[in-house]
Amino acid sequence: MDYKELYKKKLVSVEEILSKINSGDEIVSAMAASEPQGILSKLHTIKDRVEDVTVVVCLPMKDYEFFMNPSMKGHFLTESWFYTAGLREAHKYGTVSFIPNHLHLASTKRLHYRKPRFFLGTATPMDKHGYLSLSLGITYEKDILENADYVVLEINENLPRTYGDTQIHISEVDFVVENHAPVPEIPIVEPNEKDKIIGNYIAELVEDGSTIQLGIGGIPNAVAKALLNKKDLGIHTEMFTEGMVDLFEAGVITNKKKTLWKGKSIATFALGTKKLYDFIDDNMGVEFQRGAVVNDPYVIGQNYKMVSINTALQVDLTGQVCSESLGIRQFSGTGGQADTAVGAQISKGGKSIIALYSSVKNDTISTIVPVLTEGAAVTLSRNDVDYIVTEYGIAEMRGRSIRDRVRNLINIAHPKFRDELKEKAKELMIW
């Protein structure tokens, strides 16, 4: 077969793709830096001829017109597995709704509910064998495209070619659009002093030979820096980050001690700067696998000394963790936090760690509270936390009674709120 000819037959314009979208359709877009910018940036232009089009996204990198413009209500409803600042803003317009999920079940549960008409993603240019690489992630993308009526890929020569389960053959694609746009990047958040203190505490809990999972932000970046003196760490993570590149280049990450995919760093997606994208380009030491596999707690738990490191917004005195909402208002998402925390506890020698500042807004609000704010989502059950860390220390949760947990958490709360927390704990009869 002449794959170049097949590719040419499937090559169309953005406008041709948009012309195929009808009222009532479900569209699922690839997530984060894998999103098809060319198609999504023009999706709003068909507003006047469609109604009730559902667009499923996750961590969109741009504030697209189809959800940011209030006039899109009734024409497009954006449903997201993870909120960004733009989605939080658009929520009040009635153009956005949140999809509760555990990452490893996100695609499975969505497909149980509804079959997508379109999958919209991105890929590298085709090789001589007719294969394209889905590049920066397959968290849910492979599962969705295998069930969609139409698979549309935006081809971008700037995307890194990656390994694992990312390959797709041109024969499995219905349409391709070419758009060689800059790959979305996120700036590196430099750790502040609090981040560094928390990072050092967490590093104390990470033993040589551990396999780790990290997220993004000041605290995870500080953790990565604090791990530079460790040996033979492995990576089994939802998101591959810039800090992991630094650890690999420093010789800290060898993946030698891993139980699964020994010798390889495993992730479901990558998001960062050009440095990160250059590192994973054509790098056989980094593999992307589906979120349904990587984030399955029973897969995670097979790793020896698996350490799950996540952040939170609020923790109550019994250890319940809210990481995704401010009261009833959705802020981000569950993502893989519960997946990795549960998996770490199954692991022999594993640890589930939650980190947060002890207070916010210039020390006027304690993040350690007697009870969670009304309406707050419990992202992580109190049964699934081993350690909670603030800039004031480490509170051990594993195996402890409520009374012990309360005392340990008050000890790492901001000093300004400790007496108040003690009194409230006594009122609630948990002291």
Side-chain angles (χ1 to χ4, degrees):
M1 184 183 291
D2 187 336
Y3 298 128
K4 289 184 179 178
E5 282 303 312
L6 183 59
Y7 179 93
K8 286 179 182 177
K9 287 179 182 179
K10 298 185 176 191
L11 180 60
V12 298
S13 66
V14 171
E15 287 70 27
E16 286 179 82
I17 296 300
L18 295 178
S19 71
K20 300 178 186 298
I21 297 173
N22 300 321
S23 294
D25 281 353
E26 165 126 329
I27 299 167
V28 181
S29 168
M31 73 176 288
S34 295
E35 68 190 16
Q37 303 172 64
I39 301 172
L40 296 183
S41 63
K42 292 185 178 180
L43 187 56
H44 68 280
T45 62
I46 63 170
K47 161 186 171 276
D48 292 337
R49 70 167 186 82
V50 297
E51 294 180 346
D52 299 322
V53 173
T54 301
V55 187
V56 181
V57 300
C58 185
L59 203 64
M61 292 289 97
K62 294 188 176 182
D63 294 341
Y64 293 102
E65 186 84 0
F66 67 87
F67 61 79
M68 291 303 298
N69 188 332
S71 70
M72 297 294 152
K73 185 176 181 180
H75 300 279
F76 298 99
L77 174 62
T78 299
E79 298 186 337
S80 182
W81 281 299
F82 203 97
Y83 270 21
T84 56
L87 292 173
R88 290 194 290 270
E89 174 69 18
H91 186 96
K92 65 186 180 186
Y93 305 143
T95 59
V96 173
S97 186
F98 178 69
I99 309 171
N101 72 100
H102 289 311
L103 184 140
H104 81 286
L105 292 172
S107 57
T108 303
K109 289 191 173 183
R110 188 67 187 188
L111 289 168
H112 174 80
Y113 160 60
R114 195 173 183 190
K115 177 182 171 66
R117 186 152 183 262
F118 289 92
F119 169 78
L120 306 178
T122 53
T124 61
M126 184 179 68
D127 69 13
K128 64 183 180 181
H129 303 292
Y131 284 98
L132 310 98
S133 167
L134 294 174
S135 187
L136 289 173
I138 50 169
T139 304
Y140 55 82
E141 287 84 347
K142 261 294 190 63
D143 299 326
I144 296 294
L145 70 83
E146 288 172 351
N147 289 275
D149 292 333
Y150 296 101
V151 175
V152 182
L153 295 180
E154 205 170 273
I155 308 304
N156 188 344
E157 63 188 10
N158 297 312
L159 287 167
R161 181 173 289 274
T162 58
Y163 292 92
D165 194 18
T166 57
Q167 76 280 354
I168 183 170
H169 198 266
I170 186 61
S171 60
E172 301 173 280
V173 181
D174 295 292
F175 303 101
V176 292
V177 173
E178 292 184 346
N179 180 34
H180 304 300
V183 181
E185 298 182 33
I186 56 170
I188 299 171
V189 178
E190 285 300 326
N192 60 32
E193 287 308 309
K194 279 187 184 180
D195 296 331
K196 292 174 183 176
I197 294 169
I198 293 171
N200 287 332
Y201 278 128
I202 291 173
E204 291 176 13
L205 297 170
V206 179
E207 302 169 57
D208 290 344
S210 295
T211 296
I212 62 170
Q213 169 267 322
L214 278 173
I216 54 173
I219 293 176
N221 289 348
V223 172
K225 290 179 185 294
L227 292 174
L228 285 169
N229 64 344
K230 300 294 179 178
K231 296 177 182 177
D232 290 328
L233 298 186
I235 297 295
H236 184 111
T237 188
E238 171 187 334
M239 177 178 171
F240 199 84
T241 67
E242 205 95 9
M244 295 172 187
V245 177
D246 295 337
L247 288 170
F248 183 89
E249 291 179 342
V252 175
I253 291 172
T254 64
N255 293 305
K256 288 180 180 178
K257 305 292 186 181
K258 288 182 69 179
T259 314
L260 304 176
W261 289 285
K262 190 182 290 288
K264 294 181 183 292
S265 294
I266 299 298
T268 75
F269 78 104
L271 181 60
T273 68
K274 189 173 185 300
K275 175 184 174 180
L276 170 62
Y277 303 148
D278 287 345
F279 177 80
I280 63 176
D281 182 42
D282 203 28
N283 186 339
M284 295 184 73
V286 180
E287 284 195 10
F288 293 90
Q289 300 291 339
R290 303 179 195 218
V293 177
V294 175
N295 271 55
D296 182 334
Y298 296 99
V299 173
I300 293 169
Q302 293 175 54
N303 284 303
Y304 177 58
K305 291 186 178 179
M306 182 73 211
V307 182
S308 165
I309 304 164
N310 292 299
T311 57
L313 299 172
Q314 191 179 60
V315 175
D316 79 8
L317 286 176
T318 72
Q320 292 191 113
V321 177
C322 173
S323 305
E324 64 187 85
S325 72
L326 301 171
I328 196 66
R329 289 191 298 119
Q330 194 67 37
F331 183 81
S332 54
T334 305
Q337 182 167 126
D339 294 344
T340 59
V342 172
Q345 292 167 89
I346 298 170
S347 162
K348 185 177 181 180
K351 297 170 183 175
S352 162
I353 302 170
I354 290 292
L356 74 167
Y357 296 157
S358 66
S359 62
V360 293
K361 295 196 174 178
N362 297 318
D363 301 332
T364 59
I365 299 174
S366 177
T367 58
I368 295 175
V369 293
V371 293
L372 296 179
T373 302
E374 184 178 2
V378 178
T379 308
L380 194 60
S381 159
R382 64 191 185 183
N383 306 318
D384 296 320
V385 186
D386 292 332
Y387 302 92
I388 295 175
V389 183
T390 72
E391 70 273 26
Y392 290 102
I394 301 170
E396 297 196 15
M397 301 282 108
R398 179 180 281 189
R400 267 68 171 179
S401 68
I402 294 296
R403 181 171 292 191
D404 286 341
R405 287 165 173 244
V406 169
R407 288 172 175 165
N408 290 351
L409 281 167
I410 289 175
N411 284 338
I412 66 163
H414 192 286
K416 177 179 176 181
F417 300 103
R418 290 178 189 173
D419 288 342
E420 180 183 336
L421 289 169
K422 282 180 187 176
E423 291 306 311
K424 193 64 181 178
K426 290 173 182 176
E427 285 180 30
L428 295 172
M429 300 179 70
I430 55 176
W431 176 259

